[in-house]
Amino acid sequence: VSFVKPLPSSLLVRSLAMAPKAQAKRSRADDAAPADTEEQELQQQQQEDTPAPSPSKKASAKKASPKKAAPKKAASTSKAGEEDEAAAKVQPPKRAKKAPAEPEPARPVYNESMRPPPPSAPHFKILSWNVASLRALLKKDAKAITKLIERENPDVLCVQETKISEKQVPEVTRQMALPSGWHTQWACSTDKAGYSGVGTFSKSAPLTTSTGLGVKEHDGEGRVLMSEFEQFYVINAYVPNSGEGLKRLDYRVGDGGWDKALSDYIKDLQKTKPVLLAGDLNCAHQEIDIKNPKTNLKSPGFTPEERASFGARYLQPAPEGCELTDTFRKQFPEVVGYTYYSYRFNARAKGIGWRLDYFLASKPLADKVYDSFMLPDVVGSDHIPLGVTVLK
């Protein structure tokens, strides 16, 4: 007969007290701290009293789990497919991509081969050139003016932006060395020395001459000369630039501004005979008249206000305009021809220019224009000379 030795009362009490703690430890995560030896013995004894599941139940559980999971997955997949199909039905159709726009055909660029042969009929030829400082031009080439006259044999030569004062006129006239018998006429700035200014040189003496527009506000910068000839008036004009930051825009295009004053002056002259307006009008009227129109909409000379004023004051009929004709654009409606190239960025060699210089003619005179031309090979200024031949 074997007897089980009873546990000491202190140990029994301790074991009973530890039992709930052991039970709690079994419910924790696998990384719980291990119990002491006596607790392990109690745990082992309790585990031995707990019946284990039969092997057949374990096997059936293992087999059942994949079978139950498969249908759920398939159902989920099927449901997602249905949702995708339904979404596809309600989605708006995708817009077809626009075909890339075809590039516009390149416009021809003006060159001297476009000039017709000299007319056999009697004619009158006028040249115009913004010289960007006459003294500077003559310093670079003392014969710049005489070579141009010898080459083209004009009846009249108009120059703008002379930048000379009245006291400098005699010396500059001598330096130009015009052909014998030629006549000179000058308008110099009195508001600001070395600024603006125009000069008209002619083979024969004009019938009458005058300076300015007859408006004190606009006549201090020496910008207008009028020369009357037998068949028409020649107005040599240097229209003011709107300036940096467009600070003179309103002075130019506003009510009572420069454009309106010049237009009114022309309309008054047209009451007696046709007018030919020559010079730097400081506006590229159409997009074809500037290399980069989109990036220059806020640049002086190409603002919407200046272009609108140019069209309204000079090209439109009365009462607002004086109904002049752009002689170059009439002859070459789709030809690119620039008269001004910035000195910066090698603009002239790259063909990056503006058409700022014009010959605008009253309609009866425009119908007699034989040729409106440019001289792109002439250097010495940031502008090029241009000309017009009018049949008598």
Side-chain angles (χ1 to χ4, degrees):
V1 179
S2 59
F3 294 92
V4 178
K5 187 178 179 179
L7 292 171
S9 59
S10 61
L11 182 58
L12 180 58
V13 172
R14 182 180 178 187
S15 299
L16 293 174
M18 293 296 296
K21 294 181 180 180
Q23 183 68 25
K25 288 180 181 289
R26 286 198 299 272
S27 65
R28 295 177 185 171
D30 294 340
D31 59 351
D36 58 28
T37 305
E38 292 177 345
E39 290 175 345
Q40 289 178 356
E41 290 177 355
L42 288 174
Q43 291 175 9
Q44 184 177 0
Q45 187 175 1
Q46 290 176 354
Q47 288 175 0
E48 289 175 354
D49 294 339
T50 304
S54 62
S56 60
K57 290 182 180 180
K58 287 184 179 180
S60 62
K62 289 181 180 179
K63 292 179 181 180
S65 58
K67 288 183 180 178
K68 290 180 181 178
K72 288 183 180 178
K73 187 174 182 181
S76 175
T77 305
S78 174
K79 185 176 180 182
E82 291 175 1
E83 291 176 351
D84 292 344
E85 184 178 355
K89 290 180 180 179
V90 299
Q91 284 181 353
K94 292 183 178 180
R95 294 182 181 179
K97 291 184 178 180
K98 292 183 180 180
E102 296 183 3
E104 294 183 3
R107 290 188 173 103
V109 177
Y110 182 84
N111 61 77
E112 288 192 69
S113 68
M114 297 179 178
R115 292 181 67 177
S120 56
H123 58 276
F124 200 86
K125 184 188 285 188
I126 306 99
L127 300 181
S128 176
W129 191 12
N130 180 321
V131 293
S133 177
L134 185 53
R135 289 189 300 161
L137 173 67
L138 296 173
K139 187 175 181 180
K140 287 183 283 188
D141 183 357
K143 296 183 178 180
I145 298 296
T146 55
K147 285 193 296 186
L148 182 61
I149 291 174
E150 290 171 359
R151 166 178 166 170
E152 292 295 327
N153 190 27
D155 296 282
V156 177
L157 170 60
C158 302
V159 295
Q160 302 87 39
E161 202 174 357
T162 57
K163 295 185 177 181
I164 63 172
S165 62
E166 291 182 358
K167 66 180 181 180
Q168 294 170 326
V169 165
E171 178 60 22
V172 172
T173 303
R174 184 191 64 78
Q175 290 177 350
M176 284 194 302
L178 292 171
S180 178
W182 273 59
H183 302 265
T184 61
Q185 182 185 357
W186 303 88
C188 302
S189 173
T190 55
D191 287 352
K192 185 193 243 181
Y195 181 71
S196 187
V198 293
T200 300
F201 319 133
S202 58
K203 189 181 293 185
S204 59
L207 301 177
T208 62
T209 63
S210 66
T211 61
L213 299 172
V215 181
K216 184 177 180 181
E217 180 185 358
H218 302 309
D219 288 344
E221 296 179 354
R223 292 183 176 274
V224 177
L225 283 171
M226 186 280 294
S227 305
E228 180 186 2
F229 296 95
E230 184 179 351
Q231 292 184 312
F232 51 84
Y233 295 103
V234 174
I235 298 178
N236 178 7
Y238 179 35
V239 175
N241 187 288
S242 292
E244 184 179 355
L246 303 177
K247 60 187 177 183
R248 300 192 83 187
L249 180 62
D250 187 64
Y251 168 76
R252 175 173 175 176
V253 306
D255 293 336
W258 214 94
D259 285 353
K260 184 179 185 304
L262 177 57
S263 179
D264 290 344
Y265 178 69
I266 292 170
K267 283 187 282 187
D268 191 55
L269 292 177
Q270 286 177 322
K271 294 175 183 177
T272 55
K273 61 178 66 174
V275 170
L276 182 67
L277 174 60
D280 180 356
L281 305 188
N282 255 319
C283 179
H285 182 224
Q286 300 175 339
E287 289 193 354
I288 191 176
D289 298 321
I290 184 172
K291 177 64 174 179
N292 298 309
K294 304 302 182 186
T295 57
N296 281 289
L297 294 175
K298 296 182 179 181
S299 298
F302 195 65
T303 62
E305 295 86 349
E306 289 166 302
R307 295 162 63 196
S309 178
F310 185 98
R313 300 298 187 189
Y314 305 136
L315 306 183
Q316 293 299 315
E320 186 173 11
C322 49
E323 200 169 0
L324 302 178
T325 298
D326 182 347
T327 60
F328 181 85
R329 193 54 66 208
K330 178 184 178 182
Q331 185 174 343
F332 302 104
E334 293 297 325
V335 173
V336 173
Y338 302 137
T339 64
Y340 164 78
Y341 299 94
S342 171
Y343 282 130
R344 297 181 298 171
F345 312 120
N346 202 23
R348 188 162 183 170
K350 295 178 181 177
I352 302 174
W354 302 50
R355 188 168 78 101
L356 301 178
D357 306 83
Y358 297 80
F359 278 102
L360 306 183
S362 299
K363 192 176 186 307
L365 191 60
D367 293 339
K368 296 180 180 181
V369 171
Y370 175 77
D371 186 23
S372 186
F373 59 92
M374 298 177 181
L375 302 174
D377 61 313
V378 177
V379 296
S381 169
D382 50 3
H383 291 250
I384 66 169
L386 59 156
V388 68
T389 303
V390 181
L391 299 179
K392 292 183 177 180

